[in-house]
Amino acid sequence: MAPTRYAVIGAGLAGLTSAYEIRKADPEAVIDVFEAEDRIGGKLFTVPFESGPTDMGAEAYLALRSDATDFFAELGLADELVSPSAARSLIYTGGELQNLPAGGVMGIPSHSAPVAHLVSPETAARIDAEADAAPIDWQVGGDVSVGELVRERYGAEVVDRIVSSLLGGVYSCAAEDLGVRATVPQLAEALDALAEAGEKVTLSAAVKSCEARRAPRDPGATPTPVFAAFRGGYALAYEALAEKSGADIHLDVFITGVTRDLRGFHLSGQGVSTDGAYDRLILATPAPTTAALLRSVAPEASQALKSVELASSAVVGMKFDSDEGLPDNSGVLVAIDEPDVQAKAFTFSSKKWPHLGERGGALVRASFGRFGDDAIVRAEEDLIVDTALDDLARITGFDGRAAGLSEIYVQRWFGGLPRYDAAHLATVEKVRAGIADVHGLAVTGAWAGGVGVPAVIDDARAAADRVLTLG
Ligand SMILES: Cc1cc2nc3c(=O)[nH]c(=O)nc-3n(C[C@H](O)[C@H](O)[C@H](O)COP(=O)(O)OP(=O)(O)OC[C@H]3O[C@@H](n4cnc5c(N)ncnc54)[C@H](O)[C@@H]3O)c2cc1C
C-alpha cells in the first residue's frame, strides 16, 4: 500500500510538533512541511550572539504543568532545561519601580492591601467597597473584556497600572482588548460558579475564590519552578522536532491556496513544487493566513477566522559588558499609562536566568508594541535601539551606553500574537465546527488553543491526532 501523504503548512512550533507526532504514529508517512520564511521555528527564534545562543521570540514556558517538560524530555532535551533564579519582577508606575502585587489573579486583587502601593487611596477604597456594589450581570459561559470588567468594578488605575502590564507581557494587548474567559479562564469559571450558586456576583468574591482554590504549598516540598527555558535557546527544540519528524521541510514556500478533490488536497503558491495530492493536511499558520487557506475547503470556518486580529511587537536583545547598576530583579513591566516610556517591558535576562548570568556582563531584552499601538515596531532600527536604551536608563538608572553595548539584535514581530478578545473562544469553536466535516483536515497554532508554548504543543498534538485517526 502506498504511504499516506501528509502536508503541514507552517514550520513554527505547531507545524513541527504536528509533523513529529505524525511520524511517531506513522513511520512510513510522506510528510511535507511548507514554510514561507527561510528558516524554521516561527516565533521561536534563537540568534547566535557571540556570548551564546539568545532567544528573540519566546524565551521560556510555563512549567507548572508538566506536559511540555515531558514532551521536551521525550525529544531528548531534559538535560537542556534550566530554571530561573529567585529574582523578582517589578512594575514601573508613577515614575517609580514597585513590587508586583502578591496574590490576586493576573494582578486583579480581591482586596486593596496587595495593590495599595500602586493605586490612589480612592481606588483602594473602591476595591474594598466593591463587594457592596450592585452585582455583575454575568452570563454563565460568556465572555467580556477584562479591561472593561475591572475598570467598571475597581476603576482605571487597576487596569492601566497593573492588569494591562501583566496581560500585555503575555498577549501584547491592553486588558481592554482581551477576554476574561479567553485569557484568565480561572476567573471566568469563578464568576460562573458564583452565578450558578445564586450568590452575589462580584469581582472581589470571584478573585477570592480563585485564591482559595490555589493549592497550599507543602512547606517541606521543593517548589516546582513556574518557568523553564533551554540552556541553548529554543533552537534546540525546533531543530530536534524538525529532525525527528523526518519531514521534508520546504523553506521559502508561501502557500496561497488549498483546494480539494477526490484525490485529496492540492496546494498552490509561490515555490510549490509537489507531485500529487495530499491525503491529509494540517494548517499550522497564523489566523489570517489560515482563514485565507480555508476559503475553498471550509468557507464558513474561513469567514469566522477572518475576525481574529493580530498584535505586533518588537524585541531588542542587548548584551552589555557590565551589569553594574542593573537592579537585581528579573525584569520590569511598564504601566500602560506611563507617559514618558515607550517600552512595555524589560527582561533582565542575565539576572533572571543563571545560565545567562554565567556569560558575564548583562543581557537585557526590551519589548515594545501592543495591539493598536505599534508605531515603534515600524520605526527605524536605530530609533528602536535608542528608545530601548533611553527607557532603560529612565526606569532603572542603568546607563547602557556607558556599560558598553557589545551586541544587539532587533527582531520585529509583525502580527506576532493573535488577539484573544472576548469573542475569541466562540470564534475558535465556529472554526472547529466549520472544518469538522472536512475529512483529513486539521487546523492548529497559537490562535487555536492558547498562545503559550505548552498550549501550542497540546493543540498541535491534537491536530495530528485528528488527521491520523480520521482514517
Ligand atoms: C515576542 C514573543 C515572545 C513570546 N514569548 C513567549 C514565552 O516566553 N513563552 C511562551 O510560552 N510563549 C511565548 N510566545 C508565544 C509563542 O512563542 C507562540 O505562540 C508560538 O511560538 C506560536 O507557534 P505557532 O507554530 O502557532 O506559530 P508561528 O510561530 O507563527 O508559526 C507559523 C509559521 O507559519 C509560517 N507561515 C505563515 N504563512 C505561511 C504560508 N502562507 N505558507 C507557508 N508558511 C507560512 C510562518 O512563517 C511561521 O513560521 C511569544 C511570542 C512572541 C511573538
Side-chain angles (χ1 to χ4, degrees):
M1 213 169 84
T4 307
R5 289 169 53 79
Y6 297 82
V8 177
I9 318 299
L13 177 62
L16 294 172
T17 300
S18 311
Y20 166 74
E21 292 291 327
I22 291 168
R23 174 65 65 211
K24 272 195 329 194
D26 185 353
E28 305 305 317
V30 170
I31 309 173
D32 284 324
V33 177
F34 296 94
E35 168 54 51
E37 300 282 331
D38 60 1
R39 63 166 191 88
I40 60 169
K43 273 66 181 199
L44 305 182
F45 183 28
T46 308
V47 172
F49 272 38
E50 250 172 55
S51 47
T54 303
D55 278 315
M56 285 295 124
E59 50 129 16
Y61 67 90
L62 201 52
L64 278 177
R65 265 176 31 193
S66 66
D67 43 359
T69 299
D70 293 345
F71 180 71
F72 294 132
E74 183 185 310
L75 294 175
L77 299 174
D79 291 345
E80 304 296 336
L81 292 172
V82 288
S83 300
S85 69
R88 297 177 60 177
S89 189
L90 300 171
I91 193 159
Y92 183 74
T93 179
E96 286 176 19
L97 287 172
Q98 303 277 7
N99 286 324
L100 280 178
V105 184
M106 265 293 169
I108 308 169
S110 61
H111 58 295
S112 69
V115 298
H117 61 300
L118 302 171
V119 299
S120 62
E122 293 74 31
T123 296
R126 183 168 170 184
I127 295 168
D128 289 331
E130 192 262 350
D132 301 325
I136 300 170
D137 181 17
W138 180 254
Q139 305 298 315
V140 174
D143 207 359
V144 299
S145 144
V146 180
E148 279 170 29
L149 176 69
V150 179
R151 193 177 296 273
E152 192 186 305
R153 305 300 295 186
Y154 288 168
E157 288 173 0
V158 179
V159 180
D160 295 341
R161 298 186 184 173
I162 310 167
V163 184
S164 276
S165 335
L166 282 157
L167 281 170
V170 181
Y171 290 96
S172 288
C173 287
E176 260 70 20
D177 292 311
L178 298 168
V180 177
R181 197 175 303 277
T183 60
V184 202
Q186 65 278 37
L187 181 59
E189 284 156 23
L191 289 159
D192 284 350
L194 288 171
E196 280 169 339
E199 289 176 34
K200 184 172 179 185
V201 184
T202 66
L203 186 56
S204 48
V207 174
K208 218 171 269 170
S209 85
C210 292
E211 290 172 332
R213 256 184 281 149
R214 241 169 244 154
R217 202 179 273 166
D218 171 358
T222 319
T224 313
V226 177
F227 293 101
F230 288 91
R231 186 182 301 282
Y234 265 113
L236 291 176
Y238 55 77
E239 280 164 9
L241 281 169
E243 191 206 316
K244 288 176 190 288
S245 74
D248 275 330
I249 300 181
H250 309 263
L251 297 177
D252 288 316
V253 178
F254 189 89
I255 302 296
T256 52
V258 174
T259 54
R260 186 171 177 239
D261 62 17
L262 288 175
R263 289 176 299 136
F265 296 97
H266 300 266
L267 308 178
S268 53
Q270 219 176 4
V272 187
S273 59
T274 65
D275 47 359
Y278 290 94
D279 306 304
R280 319 280 161 89
L281 171 66
I282 294 185
L283 303 179
T285 40
T289 314
T290 306
L293 297 181
L294 286 172
R295 202 176 297 135
S296 152
V297 288
E300 282 178 23
S302 164
Q303 193 57 35
L305 194 49
K306 270 189 197 161
S307 65
V308 176
E309 297 202 58
L310 306 177
S312 296
S313 59
V315 173
V316 183
M318 298 176 285
K319 177 77 174 58
F320 303 100
D321 297 334
S322 159
D323 72 348
E324 216 182 302
L326 193 67
D328 277 327
N329 291 91
S330 59
V332 179
L333 296 168
V334 180
I336 204 166
D337 62 354
E338 274 311 299
D340 301 323
V341 179
Q342 292 198 59
K344 68 175 179 199
F346 287 93
T347 307
F348 306 151
S349 307
S350 49
K351 304 266 185 187
K352 180 173 179 183
W353 299 101
H355 71 288
L356 298 177
E358 283 164 15
R359 296 180 184 175
L363 187 62
V364 174
R365 261 169 70 118
S367 306
F368 293 93
R370 284 190 185 89
F371 177 76
D373 176 16
D374 57 7
I376 185 78
V377 180
R378 292 165 199 286
E380 295 275 324
E381 207 162 295
D382 285 354
L383 179 62
I384 304 180
V385 173
D386 276 337
T387 309
L389 290 166
D390 291 345
D391 284 354
L392 183 61
R394 177 167 293 116
I395 289 175
T396 66
F398 178 77
D399 181 346
R401 295 176 181 93
L405 181 54
S406 53
E407 286 187 85
I408 190 143
Y409 196 95
V410 177
Q411 175 64 42
R412 299 166 212 257
W413 293 111
F414 290 112
L417 285 163
R419 180 176 64 149
Y420 270 62
D421 66 5
H424 189 79
L425 298 183
T427 300
V428 173
E429 247 177 64
K430 267 190 224 157
V431 175
R432 296 212 196 269
I435 66 154
D437 294 338
V438 187
H439 179 86
L441 173 70
V443 293
T444 185
W447 62 266
V451 300
V453 160
V456 171
I457 292 171
D458 240 28
D459 196 72
R461 297 175 105 177
D465 205 41
R466 178 176 147 84
V467 298
L468 284 161
T469 54
L470 278 187

